């Protein structure tokens, strides 16, 4: 996702928990059925220099890979996303809300741009980010999206010394 530094902060500390979902379709016989896309994978975030208690500019790289996707049409089987940017951040401000866009590239060669809002909480030693939004461009345009991203929470010792330099966790994306 691109946008304000809050977007970057929150996404940097996200990794996705596995989500289940079902889609109910109501309407006339002429209505197009909803397509469900469910993807699972891994997100890795690196910070240089590491995040410490003092706010400073940090180069951040986010790489996400969906190794397993189930598409209602049977076409999308994998995907990826990535960002590289510089943010001003510290261990004290990792839980800010955000909004922005993220582009997903699918194994089919096409993309989906999702505009979303997110919130981040600390739960049991993890920073968990939940992003909800809509696909505003490309494949699945007009559909709703949900991404959940939990990453390990920085430890006190890391924040006091060399800094929190990387995190890896599961990621799940659901489009209905």
């Amino acid at each position: 996702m691109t946008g304000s530094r809050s977007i970057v902060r929150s996404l940097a500390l996200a990794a996705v928990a596995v989500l289940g979902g079902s889609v109910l379709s109501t309407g006339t016989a002429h209505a197009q059925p909803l397509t469900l896309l469910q993807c699972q994978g891994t997100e890795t975030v690196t910070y240089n220099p590491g995040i410490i208690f003092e706010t400073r500019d940090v180069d951040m790289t986010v790489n996400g890979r969906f190794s397993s996707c189930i598409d209602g049409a049977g076409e999308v089987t994998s995907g990826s996303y990535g960002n590289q940017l510089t943010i001003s951040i510290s261990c004290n401000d990792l839980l800010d809300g955000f909004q922005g866009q993220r582009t997903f590239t699918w194994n089919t060669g096409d993309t989906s741009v999702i505009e979303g809002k997110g919130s981040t909480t600390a739960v049991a030693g993890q920073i968990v980010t939940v992003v909800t939004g809509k696909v505003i461009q490309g494949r699945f345009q007009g559909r709703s999206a949900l991404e959940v991203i939990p990453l390990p929470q920085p430890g006190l010792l890391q924040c006091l010394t060399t800094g929190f330099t990387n995190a890896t966790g599961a990621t799940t994306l659901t489009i209905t």
Side-chain angles (χ1 to χ4, degrees):
M1 292 209 164
T2 60
S4 72
R5 101 185 164 130
S6 295
I7 293 170
V8 177
R9 262 189 262 140
S10 295
L11 288 177
L13 296 173
V16 177
V18 176
L19 299 174
S22 63
V23 177
L24 299 176
S25 178
T26 60
T28 66
H30 301 288
Q32 180 181 359
L34 293 178
T35 300
L36 170 70
L37 175 69
Q38 178 80 39
C39 292
Q40 299 175 13
T42 303
E43 179 172 293
T44 300
V45 183
T46 58
Y47 311 95
N48 185 24
I51 300 170
I52 58 175
F53 280 116
E54 179 182 330
T55 300
R56 63 182 175 180
D57 287 345
V58 174
D59 293 327
M60 184 182 81
T61 303
V62 178
N63 286 303
R65 302 264 182 251
F66 295 117
S67 56
S68 174
C69 293
I70 299 171
D71 172 9
E75 297 173 354
V76 174
T77 59
S78 62
S80 63
Y81 58 91
N83 299 84
Q84 290 185 321
L85 23 126
T86 301
I87 59 172
S88 184
I89 191 169
S90 76
C91 286
N92 291 325
D93 58 8
L94 298 174
L95 303 179
D96 290 350
F98 63 91
Q99 64 181 41
Q101 296 179 0
R102 175 171 274 175
T103 300
F104 296 85
T105 303
W106 308 114
N107 64 289
T108 57
D110 51 357
T111 61
S112 297
V113 177
I114 296 175
E115 174 105 43
K117 292 182 180 182
S119 61
T120 305
T121 57
V123 179
Q126 293 186 340
I127 302 294
V128 180
T129 299
V130 177
V131 181
T132 57
K134 290 252 182 227
V135 180
I136 61 167
Q137 182 180 334
R139 189 177 196 103
F140 308 113
Q141 185 169 351
R143 303 296 175 117
S144 296
L146 173 66
E147 187 175 12
V148 179
I149 312 163
L151 291 176
Q153 187 170 0
L156 178 63
L157 185 58
Q158 290 173 306
C159 291
L160 288 172
T161 58
T162 59
F164 186 65
T165 58
N166 62 67
T168 298
T171 180
T172 298
L173 174 68
T174 303
I175 298 177
T176 56

